[in-house]
Amino acid sequence: MRFRHPDGSTVHLAYCTNVHPAETLDGVLAQLRDHCEPVRRRLGRDRLGIGLWLAKDAAHALVTDPSALRGLRTELDRRGLEVVTLNGFPYEGFGAEKVKYRVYRPDWADPERLDHTTALARVLAGLLPDDITEGTVSTLPLAWRTAYDDARAEKAQAALLTLGERLDALAELTGRSIRVGLEPEPGCVVETTGDALAPLTAIAHHRIGICVDTCHLATSFEDPDTALDALTTARVPIVKSQLSAALHAEHPHLPEVRAALAAFDEPRFLHQTRTSPTLNSVRAGGAPIASGLRGTDDLGEALEAGALPDAAPWRAHFHVPLHAAPAAPLTSTLPVLKSALTRLVGGPHPLTRHLEVETYTWQALPPDLRPRGRTQLADGIAAELTLARDLLTDLGLKELP
């Protein structure tokens, strides 16, 4: 979906296909048929943007076989789909029964991460619509925080510098500018937007910046205006933004709130949980986390007695559907998304032109909230995109055909 910003530029809205993960190229082609095109039809649009997630094997098949890449581009066109952004965070296995910490491997100190991201950039240059010259890729925020020492930090920085050189060469060769954004996430070396400033200003490459995920922003209790102002002041490019909402518990000390949270504790994904130390100064407990937060690596850990201070709200890294907040006594951080979006595209010029709805946890929701089959899933994704579209038009953007 495309929108005209009041300054005349085009802002793109897509949804991320990691919600229906596929490891192979055949699987990607099937998801276009079974999921993406049905969502487009529900929205009544001739064209729908999708943020493709391409696992290692699918990306390798596309980058090594020009005919396969042309075939995917043809299939996108045939189904009324377009791609300007890729999700390059998960490397493989995102559809496994247990993902948890695996999603952070390989990290930027491992050569496989550089090779994979380079392949994604090359693939994206071949998938961009004919009238678009800029694409974006979101990626791991360096590494998970444990086992990341000075030696690995040096390797990661060297890899990103090499990536910058490869992106420059790709632009010169193809005329397509591909930019890559580190995506801050709780528990990682770069947990917050503030954590991204030092490594990104050290690299200082105009094609390497940040991807702002509004669920992660909220989970880490970052104020959107403060965070985005700091990025702008530091001249860190906001490559793209993922529109997502976290799980919010206002009164985590209450038994009924803990019971409601427990329903979201599931075995597949990691649900880092945080609380603000400034609101918990009277109580101790909880592991110290980046930027002074208190937190645990997973929701189940937080629910253990005494594991985390509970005198102030908790937020958990669980991407809940944008249009359907959890039932009381829980809610979502949709207000944080709205505030961030206002700052991102509501000003005289957009801070980013690539927006991506990323609710990959539909099938990890409590059983009574999960979609029953493809039809309900497509309905839910279409409802999320409709909400995002309405937020953009409320900010003065005009939807384009």
Side-chain angles (χ1 to χ4, degrees):
M1 300 167 76
R2 299 187 186 190
F3 297 80
R4 181 74 68 212
H5 189 274
D7 75 347
S9 62
T10 300
V11 172
H12 295 264
L13 173 66
Y15 90 89
C16 186
T17 64
N18 61 356
V19 63
H20 6 260
E23 298 290 320
T24 65
L25 179 55
D26 285 344
V28 170
L29 295 171
Q31 74 183 199
L32 302 183
R33 178 194 67 225
D34 297 338
H35 300 288
C36 302
E37 186 177 7
V39 170
R40 178 183 65 77
R41 293 187 181 280
R42 277 165 176 74
L43 291 167
R45 307 301 300 165
D46 293 331
R47 174 174 55 191
L48 175 66
I50 58 172
L52 271 182
W53 173 61
L54 297 173
K56 173 196 67 171
D57 289 345
H60 179 76
L62 290 166
V63 82
T64 56
D65 184 354
S67 66
L69 184 59
R70 288 192 299 271
L72 175 57
R73 172 66 189 278
T74 299
E75 191 69 3
L76 288 166
D77 292 342
R78 187 168 76 88
R79 299 194 181 278
L81 307 169
E82 68 176 14
V83 175
V84 302
T85 190
L86 301 179
N87 185 335
F89 195 131
Y91 181 71
E92 62 182 345
F94 202 61
E97 291 186 5
K98 185 174 182 179
V99 178
K100 298 290 184 181
Y101 294 94
R102 289 175 51 190
V103 75
Y104 306 105
R105 299 193 299 264
D107 64 34
W108 273 100
D110 299 317
E112 294 88 353
R113 177 61 64 172
L114 173 61
D115 292 343
H116 179 59
T117 309
T118 301
L120 292 177
R122 291 173 177 165
V123 167
L124 182 55
L127 293 180
L128 289 177
D130 292 339
D131 60 339
I132 301 297
T133 59
E134 183 178 291
T136 56
V137 180
S138 49
T139 189
L140 181 78
L142 298 183
W144 185 253
R145 70 183 187 281
T146 57
Y148 190 75
D149 54 19
D150 290 344
R152 292 188 69 78
E154 289 180 8
K155 290 180 180 179
Q157 183 176 29
L160 288 173
L161 289 170
T162 299
L163 175 68
E165 294 170 356
R166 292 180 179 179
L167 295 176
D168 287 343
L170 182 64
E172 185 174 349
L173 178 67
T174 65
R176 304 291 180 89
S177 176
I178 307 299
R179 299 194 298 164
V180 174
L182 303 182
E183 181 187 331
E185 175 162 311
C188 292
V189 173
V190 175
E191 165 147 342
T192 67
T193 56
D195 296 334
L197 295 178
L200 290 177
T201 53
I203 295 166
H205 195 287
H206 67 288
R207 288 196 172 92
I208 300 178
I210 192 169
C211 167
V212 176
D213 184 301
T214 58
C215 169
H216 305 169
L217 191 81
T219 301
S220 294
F221 286 87
E222 290 197 78
D223 173 70
D225 288 330
T226 302
L228 297 174
D229 284 347
L231 293 172
T232 302
T233 300
R235 297 185 178 180
V236 171
I238 302 174
V239 168
K240 65 184 278 190
S241 179
Q242 289 174 324
L243 307 182
S244 53
L247 194 62
H248 180 94
E250 186 69 17
H251 302 292
H253 65 285
L254 296 177
E256 60 267 30
V257 175
R258 287 179 173 259
L261 284 170
F264 286 84
D265 179 29
E266 53 83 36
R268 186 173 175 187
F269 298 112
L270 208 60
H271 301 297
Q272 303 92 314
T273 305
R274 299 288 183 265
T275 188
S276 173
T278 59
L279 303 176
N280 279 297
S281 56
V282 179
R283 304 191 56 175
I289 299 295
S291 304
L293 296 174
R294 310 294 290 188
T296 58
D297 283 353
D298 214 346
L299 180 55
E301 298 171 27
L303 292 171
E304 295 175 3
L308 200 60
D310 59 6
W314 288 2
R315 289 175 178 172
H317 172 219
F318 195 117
H319 291 220
V320 295
L322 301 186
H323 68 292
L330 303 179
T331 186
S332 81
T333 61
L334 184 62
V336 177
L337 184 159
K338 292 180 178 179
S339 179
L341 191 61
T342 298
R343 184 72 177 86
L344 286 166
V345 300
H349 304 287
L351 300 182
T352 184
R353 292 189 295 275
H354 289 181
L355 305 172
E356 179 183 60
V357 171
E358 195 214 9
T359 304
Y360 59 84
T361 43
W362 282 94
Q363 299 301 339
L365 289 167
D368 58 328
L369 301 179
R370 293 175 194 167
R372 296 182 180 89
R374 293 176 185 170
T375 297
Q376 285 192 5
L377 178 58
D379 289 343
I381 294 170
E384 288 193 295
L385 286 167
T386 297
L387 182 147
R389 178 188 64 194
D390 291 346
L391 291 177
L392 291 174
T393 56
D394 287 347
L395 290 171
L397 282 73
K398 180 181 179 181
E399 187 176 4
L400 298 175

